């Protein structure tokens, strides 16, 4: 059985601040560097950047040989102890990343070792190059040890802002379909993953059928993924029946948990929890009353889901049937927009948005909140 060594690191200049990660995959027998990857992440914490580096390294190793054994070496005591199961993971931003990392390989084939920072210089250098680049692109290169430095410098140049290079192949294209109406939708009530999980209303079912007809006419959808909630699965099944495709449930597409606000209108929340609402509207790290999911935690989850799906569906067009907050977050991250931009987007029931992801890591928002298929 083949064995890899994954060395990973992440950093944040400000914590939270401009952040990036670096990961290296080596052949355990020869020490040869097989893959280097780094990415500028925007404004996140140091620990989130470290987890993103781990996840990128494990995915790169999996791409090389999914049957391999992996030994992870990191100078983050927190990540090593949490992934080894000795420390609990309490922070909501890190839980989904740790879950994704744990799924990369069967747990019995991955071991973790803490190393001093001076023994992790390769990954640390890549993380700093990512932060220096401040680009919303990632670079992954299969390397020979002799060419490593030259290829990393070239990758950094490609990652600089500007027009994307030509001939990168077909992008991974995500058609983002919001579910049809439920009884709560016209009442504008908070309806997340922690509520009653309502089904589509009669209007919502009609909207799903109209969306299905429009997508059948489009003729480009190759796969359908849906959030696990009832309303998204029902919407996805309407499309799947029309296109003759199967629906795959993707947990990462689930709506934000709005805690104690589930089922309430905005006005009712403002009346009952005015201070919590004010904080939530101004701070992406703030959770809804009762321990719901912050926008920052949602963004971390969506970013991890995006990375996984882009890798799995490169060059394909995929329908993602999901919810308001995940779709807005996909768009926000693609634009590199600040968290408050979530409050500047309109997203109607059964609307369609489209984001394409290219081989150099850049994204292009092609459509937002299209409801033309719902008109008589």
């Amino acid at each position: 059985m083949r064995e890899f060594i994954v060395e990973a690191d992440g950093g944040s200049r400000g914590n939270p601040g401009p952040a990036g990660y670096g990961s290296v995959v080596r052949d355990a027998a020869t020490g040869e560097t097989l893959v280097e990857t780094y990415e500028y992440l925007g404004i996140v914490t140091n620990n989130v950047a470290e987890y993103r580096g781990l996840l990128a390294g494990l995915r790169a190793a999996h791409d090389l040989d999914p049957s391999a054994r992996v030994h992870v070496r990191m100078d983050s005591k927190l990540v090593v102890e949490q992934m080894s199961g000795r420390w609990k993971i309490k922070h909501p931003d890190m839980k989904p990343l740790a879950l994704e990392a744990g799924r990369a390989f069967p747990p019995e084939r991955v071991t973790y070792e803490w190393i001093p920072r001076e023994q992790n210089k390769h990954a640390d250098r890549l993380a700093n190059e990512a932060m220096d680049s401040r680009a919303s692109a990632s670079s992954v290169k299969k390397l020979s040890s002799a060419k490593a430095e030259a290829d990393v410098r070239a990758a950094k140049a490609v990652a600089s802002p500007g027009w994307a290079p030509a001939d990168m192949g077909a992008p991974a294209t995500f058609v983002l379909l919001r579910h049809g109406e439920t009884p709560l939708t016209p009442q504008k009530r908070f309806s997340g993953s922690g509520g009653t999980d309502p089904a589509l209303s009669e209007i919502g079912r009609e909207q799903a059928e109209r969306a299905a007809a429009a997508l059948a006419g489009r003729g480009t959808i190759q796969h359908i993924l849906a959030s696990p909630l009832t309303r998204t699965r029902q919407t996805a099944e309407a499309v799947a029946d029309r296109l003759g495709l199967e629906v795959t449930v993707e947990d990462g597409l689930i709506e934000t948990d709005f805690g104690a606000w589930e089922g309430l209108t905005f006005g009712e929340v403002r009346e009952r929890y005015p201070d919590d609402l004010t904080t939530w509207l101004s701070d992406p790290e703030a959770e809804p009353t009762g321990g719901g999911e912050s926008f920052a935690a949602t963004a971390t989850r969506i970013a991890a889901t995006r990375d996984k799906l882009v890798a799995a569906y490169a060059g394909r067009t995929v329908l993602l049937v999901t919810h308001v907050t995940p779709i807005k977050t996909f768009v926000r991250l693609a634009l590199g927009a600040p968290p408050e931009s979530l409050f500047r987007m309109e997203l109607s029931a059964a609307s369609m948005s489209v984001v394409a992801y290219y081989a150099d890591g850049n994204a292009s928002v092609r459509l937002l909140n299209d409801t033309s298929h719902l008109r008589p």
Side-chain angles (χ1 to χ4, degrees):
M1 179 181 291
R2 199 172 184 188
E3 294 188 15
F4 298 129
I5 293 173
V6 170
E7 295 171 351
D9 198 11
S12 174
R13 295 171 180 169
N15 200 29
Y21 70 71
S23 303
V24 184
V25 182
R26 304 182 191 278
D27 187 293
T30 66
E32 179 186 8
T33 299
L34 303 175
V35 176
E36 291 181 334
T37 175
Y38 68 89
E39 182 179 4
Y40 174 66
L41 298 173
I43 307 299
V44 301
T45 66
N46 185 68
N47 291 145
V48 166
E50 289 171 336
Y51 262 104
R52 290 290 298 275
L54 167 64
L55 184 56
L58 289 172
R59 286 176 174 165
H62 188 274
D63 288 344
L64 290 172
D65 187 348
S67 66
R69 291 187 179 276
V70 179
H71 183 60
V72 177
R73 293 158 45 91
M74 297 182 68
D75 59 55
S76 170
K77 187 75 169 176
L78 176 75
V79 174
V80 168
E81 292 298 314
Q82 287 181 339
M83 291 303 299
S84 298
R86 292 185 289 269
W87 291 2
K88 291 184 178 181
I89 304 173
K90 298 180 179 179
H91 199 285
D93 288 0
M94 290 183 280
K95 285 182 179 180
L97 292 173
L99 183 62
E100 289 296 323
R103 291 173 175 170
F105 287 89
E108 65 273 12
R109 286 201 265 122
V110 183
T111 56
Y112 290 86
E113 176 190 3
W114 176 84
I115 57 175
R117 180 167 293 277
E118 57 268 21
Q119 295 181 24
N120 202 29
K121 290 182 178 179
H122 195 158
D124 176 73
R125 173 177 58 79
L126 292 174
N128 277 284
E129 291 207 20
M131 287 182 276
D132 290 340
S133 74
R134 300 179 65 89
S136 60
S138 63
S139 168
V140 179
K141 299 285 184 181
K142 291 186 179 179
L143 305 166
S144 68
S145 55
K147 292 180 60 183
E149 294 296 329
D151 282 351
V152 169
R153 287 194 297 272
K156 182 177 177 181
V158 171
S160 61
W163 292 105
D167 194 23
M168 290 180 292
T173 302
F174 294 169
V175 179
L176 305 164
L177 173 62
R178 186 189 169 194
H179 61 81
E181 282 191 12
T182 75
L184 300 181
T185 307
Q187 300 174 28
K188 297 188 181 299
R189 296 185 180 274
F190 283 92
S191 182
S193 58
T196 57
D197 192 17
L200 294 178
S201 64
E202 183 176 347
I203 291 176
R205 289 192 294 272
E206 180 180 348
Q207 290 172 333
E209 292 296 336
R210 287 179 176 268
L215 289 166
R218 180 189 181 103
T220 57
I221 301 298
Q222 296 167 287
H223 306 274
I224 302 175
L225 281 69
S227 152
L229 296 182
T230 300
R231 53 196 182 272
T232 42
R233 287 189 289 106
Q234 288 178 328
T235 304
E237 289 293 348
V239 179
D241 289 345
R242 184 70 68 100
L243 299 183
L245 297 174
E246 298 292 328
V247 176
T248 299
V249 173
E250 170 53 57
D251 291 342
L253 297 175
I254 200 167
E255 178 62 289
T256 299
D257 182 347
F258 294 111
W261 304 349
E262 294 280 359
L264 302 180
T265 65
F266 190 89
E268 289 169 341
V269 172
R270 183 168 51 196
E271 181 180 342
R272 300 182 194 184
Y273 310 104
D275 293 340
D276 289 353
L277 181 63
T278 298
T279 302
W280 182 71
L281 291 173
S282 61
D283 181 2
E285 299 281 349
E287 298 176 349
T289 307
E293 187 180 25
S294 69
F295 283 137
T298 300
T300 298
R301 168 166 58 85
I302 293 300
T305 301
R306 172 204 62 196
D307 292 349
K308 179 180 74 172
L309 298 182
V310 167
Y313 296 102
R316 295 178 174 272
T317 299
V318 185
L319 178 68
L320 306 184
V321 186
T322 179
H323 309 265
V324 169
T325 313
I327 293 174
K328 288 184 176 182
T329 302
F330 272 109
V331 172
R332 178 182 81 76
L333 294 176
L335 294 173
E340 56 266 28
S341 65
L342 295 176
F343 301 116
R344 309 290 190 267
M345 299 183 208
E346 175 72 21
L347 207 69
S348 304
S351 64
M352 293 186 204
S353 303
V354 179
V355 182
Y357 299 90
Y358 290 90
D360 67 346
N362 282 307
S364 172
V365 177
R366 297 182 173 181
L367 190 69
L368 179 65
N369 195 41
D370 178 23
T371 58
S372 59
H373 53 282
L374 302 179
R375 298 170 192 158

